[in-house]
C-alpha cells in the first residue's frame, strides 16, 4: 500500500478511526483503551494556539531518517490553498503556524500565497526546512518576525550529502550566509539549526557548533531520530555522545550560541542530561498544539504520532478538538498506558518558544 492510499481522506471516517487507532496498539493496550473509550465524554477545551501544518507530503531531498522523497517530488499529496485558508479560519485564537511535516513546504510554487494569508492574519510563522527554498521565502518569514529552522545533520560535506541525498552542501552554506548578511540590517535573524542525532552523525554536534559560528547561526536545537530500536546506542556510543555534548556546550558558551536540548532517556537509559524535560516526563501537546496533515487528518504532535483525532474535511475542527478520540488520548498520554509511539519521545516545546 502506498502513502497516497494510507493517507486517503476516506480512511478518517468515524468507523475507520476505531480500526486505525485501536488496531495499531499492542494487544495489552487495545482492550484498556477501548474500555476507557466507552466512558469518555466530549470536552470543552480551548482551541490550540499553535498548529503544525503539513502543506505537502513529498520532498525534493531523500533523507535517510525520513525517505518521503525517495521517489522524487509528488505534488498529488498537497493541501490546497483554499483548504488551508478554511482550516486556519476554523481555529480560534491561533497564534503560531509551523510549516512542517513529512515533506518540504517550499517545493510548492505558490507557497508565498499561503504565507501571505498568515501574514495578513498576523499569525507568526515558523518553518522547518531543508533549505532548498528561495531565499526570498525565508527572508519574508523573518521580516514578519517569524523563525526559520534549517535541518542540519552533519558538519562536513560528505556526510551531510550522504544523510540528505540530493542536497548540495556548498549551495546551502552560501544560502545561509546570504540570508544572514541580508538580515543583519534589520537585526531580525531568528535562524536556527535543527540537529537530529542518529547513528551516522555521532560526534558531529560539537562540529555543528563550529559551523553555526562560522555561518552566524546562534541557536541549535538538538533532536534524536525517532527509532524503535536504539540498540546501536551501546555504552561506548553513549559515552562518545556525552563527550561530544560536553564539548559542544563549551564551544556554544564560547561563541554565544544557544544550544537547546532536553534530558534524553531512551529505553530507560539516560543518554544525557539537559535543562529541559522532554514529553516523556509530561506531555501537554494535545492541549496546546495540533498537527494537521496534508489530507486533513488531525494528529497529536510534532513527532507525527500516527493516532488520528479525526479529519477536518469530514468534521469541524471544534468537533474534532473536543471529540471522543482526542479526549481519550489526553486521558492516557501521561499515564503508564500512554500510546506506544510516545515511548522514547524527546520532543520539548521550550526549544521553539525561544526562537
Amino acid at each position: 500500500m502506498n502513502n497516497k492510499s494510507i493517507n486517503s481522506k476516506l480512511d478518517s471516517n468515524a468507523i475507520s478511526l476505531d480500526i486505525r487507532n485501536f488496531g495499531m496498539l499492542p494487544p495489552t493496550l487495545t482492550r484498556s483503551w477501548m474500555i476507557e473509550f466507552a466512558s469518555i465524554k466530549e470536552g470543552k477545551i480551548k482551541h490550540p494556539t499553535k498548529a503544525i501544518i503539513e502543506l505537502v507530503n513529498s520532498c525534493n531531498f531523500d533523507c535517510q531518517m525520513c525517505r518521503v522523497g525517495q521517489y522524487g517530488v509528488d505534488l498529488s499529496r498537497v493541501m490546497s490553498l483554499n483548504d488551508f485558508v478554511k482550516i486556519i479560519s476554523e481555529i480560534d485564537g491561533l497564534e503560531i503556524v509551523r510549516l512542517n511535516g513529512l515533506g518540504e513546504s517550499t517545493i510548492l510554487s505558490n507557497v508565498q500565497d499561503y504565507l501571505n494569508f498568515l501574514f495578513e492574519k498576523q499569525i507568526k510563522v515558523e518553518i522547518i526546512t531543508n533549505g532548498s527554498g528561495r531565499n526570498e521565502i525565508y527572508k519574508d518569514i523573518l521580516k514578519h518576525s517569524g523563525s526559520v529552522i534549517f535541518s542540519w545533520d552533519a558538519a562536513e560535506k560528505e556526510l551531510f550529502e550522504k544523510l540528505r541525498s540530493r542536497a548540495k552542501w556548498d549551495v546551502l552554506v552560501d544560502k545561509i550566509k546570504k540570508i544572514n548578511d541580508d538580515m543583519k540590517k534589520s537585526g531580525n535573524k531568528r535562524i536556527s539549526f535543527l540537529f537530529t542525532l542518529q547513528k551516522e552523525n555521532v560526534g558531529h554536534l560539537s562540529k555543528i557548533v563550529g559551523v553555526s559560528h562560522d555561518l552566524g547561526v546562534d541557536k541549535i536545537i538538538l533532536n534524536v531520530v525517532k527509532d524503535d530500536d536504539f540498540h546501536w546506542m551501546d555504552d561506548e556510543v553513549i559515552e562518545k555522545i556525552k563527550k561530544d555534548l560536553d564539548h559542544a556546550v563549551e564551544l556554544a558558551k564560547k561563541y554565544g550560541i544557544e544550544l537547546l536540548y532536553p534530558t534524553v532517556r531512551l529505553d530507560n537509559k539516560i543518554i544525557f542530561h539537559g535543562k529541559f524535560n522532554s514529553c516523556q516526563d509530561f506531555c501537554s501537546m494535545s492541549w496546546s498544539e495540533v498537527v494537521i496533515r496534508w489530507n486533513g487528518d488531525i494528529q497529536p504532535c510534532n513527532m507525527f504520532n500516527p493516532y488520528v483525532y479525526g479529519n477536518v474535511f469530514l468534521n469541524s475542527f471544534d468537533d474534532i478538538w473536543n471529540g471522543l478520540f482526542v479526549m481519550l488520548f489526553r486521558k492516557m498520554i501521561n499515564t503508564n498506558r500512554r500510546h506506544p509511539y510516545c515511548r522514547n519521545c524527546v520532543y520539548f516545546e521550550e526549544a521553539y518558544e525561544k526562537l
Side-chain angles (χ1 to χ4, degrees), residues 37-255:
F37 185 71
S39 63
I40 286 289
K41 296 181 180 179
E42 293 182 345
K44 293 183 179 179
I45 306 295
K46 287 176 59 177
H47 287 189
T49 56
K50 174 177 279 190
I52 292 94
I53 299 185
E54 180 184 68
L55 296 185
V56 55
N57 183 230
S58 187
C59 190
N60 52 343
F61 290 177
D62 179 18
C63 302
Q64 285 190 15
M65 65 180 178
C66 175
R67 304 308 309 275
V68 73
Q70 63 180 310
Y71 300 118
V73 172
D74 179 357
L75 293 181
S76 67
R77 302 193 298 271
V78 173
M79 179 185 292
S80 73
L81 179 60
N82 286 340
D83 286 336
F84 178 78
V85 168
K86 181 178 181 295
I87 289 168
I88 296 297
S89 301
E90 281 194 33
I91 306 177
D92 297 328
L94 190 61
E95 298 174 2
I96 302 171
V97 166
R98 182 184 306 148
L99 300 179
N100 183 206
L102 302 179
E104 172 58 38
S105 302
T106 65
I107 64 175
L108 295 181
S109 60
N110 65 335
V111 69
Q112 189 66 51
D113 295 331
Y114 294 76
L115 293 174
N116 289 341
F117 174 73
L118 295 175
F119 297 152
E120 289 168 9
K121 298 277 287 185
Q122 297 187 325
I123 294 174
K124 180 182 173 183
V125 179
E126 299 171 353
I127 185 170
I128 296 181
T129 176
N130 62 25
S132 64
R134 293 181 293 109
N135 284 17
E136 289 72 23
I137 294 171
Y138 302 129
K139 289 191 289 185
D140 205 19
I141 292 172
L142 295 169
K143 287 175 182 176
H144 285 85
S145 301
S147 304
V148 179
I149 305 149
F150 291 102
S151 295
W152 206 274
D153 298 329
E156 297 164 358
K157 178 177 180 177
E158 183 177 359
L159 180 58
F160 186 91
E161 293 182 354
K162 177 184 176 183
L163 294 179
R164 295 188 165 269
S165 179
R166 304 192 200 112
K168 300 298 180 186
W169 167 273
D170 295 332
V171 171
L172 293 172
V173 165
D174 288 344
K175 178 188 292 285
I176 292 174
K177 285 180 179 177
K178 184 68 166 60
I179 293 171
N180 261 334
D181 287 344
D182 290 346
M183 298 309 296
K184 278 180 182 177
K185 298 173 185 177
S186 65
N188 183 359
K189 292 196 295 183
R190 289 195 176 88
I191 294 175
S192 307
F193 277 159
L194 177 62
F195 173 78
T196 301
L197 178 67
Q198 48 202 289
K199 182 178 180 179
E200 292 80 5
N201 65 6
V202 170
H204 269 246
L205 179 59
S206 56
K207 298 175 183 178
I208 290 283
V209 175
V211 172
S212 300
H213 174 63
D214 292 341
L215 298 182
V217 175
D218 57 11
K219 286 186 178 65
I220 302 171
I221 301 169
L222 174 56
N223 186 29
V224 179
V225 66
K226 191 77 178 72
D227 192 351
D228 292 329
D229 182 2
F230 286 97
H231 294 305
W232 58 270
M233 278 197 186
D234 57 25
D235 291 342
E236 184 177 342
V237 171
I238 291 173
E239 188 60 30
K240 185 176 180 179
I241 290 170
K242 289 178 178 177
K243 286 183 178 179
D244 183 45
L245 177 61
D246 289 343
H247 188 203
V249 169
E250 290 177 7
L251 286 178
K253 185 176 181 180
K254 175 182 175 182
Y255 294 141

